[in-house]
Structure formats: structure tokens, C-alpha cells
């Protein structure tokens, strides 16, 4: 059974940093694509960034240059480094993965349960 488990969220002051992790398990090979999304209550889920097994990445305007995605294939883990956090970055951050699709769509097959990021003073 495929599982994606996010971690690394928490409460941080404005201007602070966090590194989110997404550990994938239950899949025989590394997922071709891993991505990060975020969602606040009452709002639609918002894509943040994605990365494929070759290390190619793409980002949305959600965080500008304050978010950086990376992955460690040996650990089946994707990361999202969040810098210079702002109160408006407060959200549940979700990881997604897909064995086939990556660029050209944000509709992926597997999803984690999310990790909460709260930015406040």
C-alpha cells in the first residue's frame, strides 16, 4: 500500500524557515513525480512546486522564490524548504506523487495527509 507521510510543519515566526519532508513508501520504484500543495480552510488547494526523478522542477507563483523543492531518491523523500515565511503562508501543506505524470498536470495519484504550517508572532 502506497503511503506518503509529511513532516516538518510547525509554528514559526514571520521571517523564519521550515523544511518539510515527504516520505514515500509502498511503491517498488521511486515515484516519477513528487509535488507540494497547500490549502487553507475554505480555499481551494494550491500547487506550490513539483520535481521529477531527473531533478527538473517547476514552481507556481504561490511562494515565489521563498520555496525550494528537492528530493532524495535513495530515501524516497521529497523536501520543501520554506524561507522568509509570512503569515499568509499559514496552511496545511500536502505532498503528492505519481508514477507516470508530472509536468502538464497537477492531478496526481497519491496524496499524503498533510503537515500544518503556522506563521505568527
Amino acid at each position: 500500500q502506497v503511503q506518503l507521510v509529511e513532516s516538518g510543519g510547525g509554528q514559526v515566526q514571520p521571517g523564519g524557515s521550515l523544511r518539510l519532508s515527504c516520505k514515500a513508501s509502498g511503491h517498488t520504484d521511486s515515484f516519477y513525480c513528487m509535488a507540494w500543495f497547500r490549502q487553507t480552510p475554505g480555499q481551494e488547494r494550491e500547487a506550490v512546486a513539483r520535481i521529477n526523478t531527473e531533478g527538473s522542477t517547476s514552481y507556481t507563483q504561490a511562494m515565489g522564490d521563498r520555496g525550494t523543492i528537492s528530493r532524495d531518491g535513495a530515501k524516497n523523500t521529497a523536501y520543501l524548504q520554506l524561507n522568509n515565511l509570512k503569515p499568509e503562508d499559514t496552511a496545511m501543506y500536502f505532498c503528492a506523487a505519481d508514477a507516470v505524470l508530472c509536468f502538464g498536470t497537477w492531478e496526481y495519484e497519491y496524496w499524503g495527509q498533510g503537515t500544518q504550517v503556522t506563521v505568527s508572532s
Side-chain angles (χ1 to χ4, degrees), residues 8-20 63 65-68 80-86 89 93 116-120:
Q11 183 166 346
V12 64
Q13 293 186 344
S17 298
L18 286 173
R19 189 174 84 152
L20 308 183
M63 296 196 67
D65 60 356
R66 299 181 298 109
T68 303
L80 184 66
Q81 177 68 41
L82 305 174
N83 296 322
N84 191 22
L85 283 161
K86 303 177 180 181
D89 296 318
Y93 285 71
Q116 177 69 36
V117 172
T118 302
V119 185
S120 70

Side-chain angles (χ1 to χ4, degrees), residues 36-39 44-49 60-63 88:
W36 285 97
F37 295 75
R38 66 183 186 180
Q39 188 172 24
E44 290 189 0
R45 186 178 61 205
E46 179 181 39
V48 177
T60 68
Q61 294 298 311
M63 296 196 67
E88 53 264 40

Side-chain angles (χ1 to χ4, degrees), residues 27-57:
H27 198 261
T28 54
D29 299 311
S30 294
F31 284 108
Y32 175 59
C33 190
M34 298 186 78
W36 285 97
F37 295 75
R38 66 183 186 180
Q39 188 172 24
T40 56
Q43 301 295 316
E44 290 189 0
R45 186 178 61 205
E46 179 181 39
V48 177
R50 56 194 169 189
I51 184 169
N52 67 9
T53 50
E54 288 80 31
S56 295
T57 59

Side-chain angles (χ1 to χ4, degrees), residues 1-4 24-28 31 110 113:
Q1 182 179 357
V2 173
Q3 275 194 313
L4 300 178
S25 63
H27 198 261
T28 54
F31 284 108
Y110 302 104
Q113 295 298 308

